[in-house]
Amino acid sequence: MAQAQAQPNIALVKYWGKRHGARNLPAVGSLSVTLESLWTRTEVEFDPDLPEDLFLLNGVPDPKGLVRVSRCLDPIRQRASCLHRARIQSRNNFPTSAGLASSASGFAALVTAAIAALCLEVSPEERSEWARGASGSAPRSLYGGFVELRLQETPAPGRTELVPLADPGHWPLEVAVAITSLSAKPVGSTAGMEITAKTSPFYEDWIRAQPADLEAARQAVLARDFEKLALVSEHSCLKMHGLALAAKPGLMYWNGATVSCLTVIRDLRAQGIPVFFTIDAGPQVKAVCEPGASQQVAGILRQIPGVLEVMTSRLGPGARVISGAGKSQPSGP
Ligand code: 2P0
C-alpha cells in the first residue's frame, strides 16, 4: 500500500490532438506549470483477496473512472509480475472533470502510488510513459515548476520525453483560478480532440505551428520574460479554442463569465498589472500572474458576475509518495 500526492498542471502551450494509431501519443508537444495548492491524493493497495479493482473517488465508487484506472495499473502490474487487484481511493480538493486538470493530477498520483506500493525501481521514462498512456497531460504533473513534454522523433517516433525546464524558485509565478461552473464538461478532452482532428479545417496548421510556440515559451521561461510568455500563452490558448470552435459540431467550452474574465484580464495587463489568461477544456479561467500579483487579480476576478469562486496557487512540486511502503520516486525540480 502507498499513498501519493500530485497537483494539476496548467498548460501554457496546449496539447490538443493525438497521433493517429499510437496509444494516447500526443500529436504535439506541450509546456505547463505545476500548481501547489490544488491536489489529488491517491492510495493504492494491492490485495490478493480482491476479485476486481475497486475505485473510490472522493469516497464514492466511480465505475466509469475505474476502467481508466485499471487500464493505467495494468502495465505497472505487468512490470512487477503482480497479479493482484487493487483498492484505489482518490480525493481531489477541487472540482473533478471541470477543466481543472483533474486527470493530470489523478493519473500522476496513481502511477506514483502504484510504483511505490509495488516497490518497483523504474526509470523516469517508464513512469512518464505509464502516466502518458492514461492521460496525455498527466506526465507533466510528475514534475514541479515549468515542464515540457516533447515528442521524440528519433530513433523512431512514438515516444515522449518529459523535460523539467525550471523549478518553481526560478520564477515563482502565481495562478488565480476563476471557477465559473461546477458542472462536468459536456464533451471530454479525448472526444473533443478526436472531433477536432477529424473535422477542424485548422488542425494541420495547429500541428505545424506548435514547435515555434514551444520554442518561444521555453525562451520566455528561461529568460523570465513575462510579456513574451503572456503573448505565446494567450495565443496558444485562443488558437486551441479556435480550432475546437471550428470543428463539426463546434466545441464551445466557454460561458459568458469566461469571456468576461478574458476581457478583464486583458484590460488589467494593459494597465500594467502583470497577468495573462489561459483556459483548458472547460469554462474556468486561469490567470497567470507575476510573483505577488495574484491576490489583487483574484479580488478583481471575484467581482465578475458568474464567477463562483477564485482559488489562488503558487507553483508547486511534482508528484511524490506521502505515505506507505516502497521508495519515494525522485520527483523533478
Ligand atoms: C493541456 N488539455 O495541454 C490540454 C489543454 C485540455 C486543454 O491535456 O485524452 O485529460 O486523457 O490525453 O490529458 C486535457 O486532456 O486528455 C488536456 P487525454 P487530457 O493541458
Side-chain angles (χ1 to χ4, degrees):
M1 189 273 274
Q3 191 185 33
Q5 174 170 324
Q7 285 78 232
N9 68 75
I10 306 295
L12 304 182
V13 178
K14 304 290 186 193
Y15 147 53
W16 196 252
K18 297 176 196 292
R19 189 75 68 94
H20 198 63
R23 188 170 171 248
N24 209 39
L25 184 69
V28 288
S30 53
L31 189 151
S32 61
V33 287
T34 302
L35 301 184
E36 182 186 55
S37 57
L38 283 65
W39 49 253
T40 300
R41 287 185 187 146
T42 300
E43 186 182 286
V44 178
E45 183 179 11
F46 291 93
D47 182 344
D49 297 328
L50 266 185
E52 300 291 344
D53 288 332
L54 190 69
F55 175 50
L56 298 181
L57 180 61
N58 296 324
V60 179
D62 178 357
K64 203 169 147 213
L66 172 65
V67 177
R68 280 180 87 184
V69 164
S70 293
R71 216 184 293 151
C72 176
L73 289 180
D74 284 343
I76 306 174
R77 275 191 274 245
Q78 196 179 4
R79 172 74 159 67
S81 304
C82 167
L83 298 173
H84 301 162
R85 301 293 102 189
R87 190 175 294 105
I88 306 109
Q89 303 194 58
S90 196
R91 272 187 305 134
N92 293 326
N93 73 340
F94 62 96
T96 302
S97 299
L100 288 171
S102 54
S103 65
S105 54
F107 286 108
L110 177 67
V111 166
T112 304
I115 290 169
L118 294 169
C119 300
L120 270 177
E121 298 270 5
V122 302
S123 67
E125 289 77 22
E126 279 177 295
R127 232 167 35 118
S128 168
E129 286 295 312
W130 287 331
R132 194 266 289 163
S135 184
S137 56
R140 300 187 314 232
S141 279
L142 293 172
Y143 288 148
F146 299 83
V147 183
E148 184 178 350
L149 190 68
R150 283 185 197 156
L151 289 183
Q152 269 183 342
E153 299 299 342
T154 54
R159 294 183 75 81
T160 51
E161 181 189 5
L162 188 62
V163 184
L165 289 180
D167 65 26
H170 164 74
W171 197 14
L173 297 180
E174 299 169 354
V175 183
V177 182
I179 310 284
T180 65
S181 167
L182 293 173
S183 313
K185 57 198 168 212
V187 182
S189 297
T190 305
M193 289 184 205
E194 208 177 302
I195 298 167
T196 306
K198 276 194 189 139
T199 64
S200 177
F202 309 134
Y203 186 69
E204 294 306 321
D205 287 340
W206 159 256
I207 307 282
R208 256 195 299 276
Q210 191 77 344
D213 288 353
L214 285 167
E215 177 58 22
R218 212 180 287 135
Q219 284 177 7
V221 167
L222 296 179
R224 292 190 283 258
D225 183 336
F226 191 80
E227 190 57 30
K228 184 170 181 159
L229 190 62
L231 288 179
V232 69
S233 300
E234 289 191 355
H235 175 63
S236 180
C237 162
L238 294 174
K239 203 163 39 161
M240 181 206 114
H241 285 275
L243 70 128
L245 281 164
K248 287 181 192 167
L251 296 163
M252 225 179 295
Y253 285 113
W254 303 359
N255 59 32
T258 313
V259 179
S260 301
C261 290
L262 302 193
T263 53
V264 167
I265 288 168
R266 281 255 169 113
D267 286 349
L268 291 176
R269 193 156 85 258
Q271 292 163 30
I273 296 174
V275 56
F276 65 83
F277 62 74
T278 189
I279 313 159
D280 293 302
Q284 330 301 4
V285 177
K286 288 93 181 195
V288 181
C289 309
E290 281 258 45
S294 66
Q295 292 307 329
Q296 184 190 6
V297 169
I300 294 165
L301 293 176
R302 279 190 194 105
Q303 307 301 318
I304 296 175
V307 171
L308 307 174
E309 189 191 341
V310 180
M311 299 184 285
T312 56
S313 179
R314 294 190 293 204
L315 304 193
R320 61 220 174 270
V321 177
I322 51 177
S323 67
K327 296 184 174 65
S328 174
Q329 292 291 316
S331 81

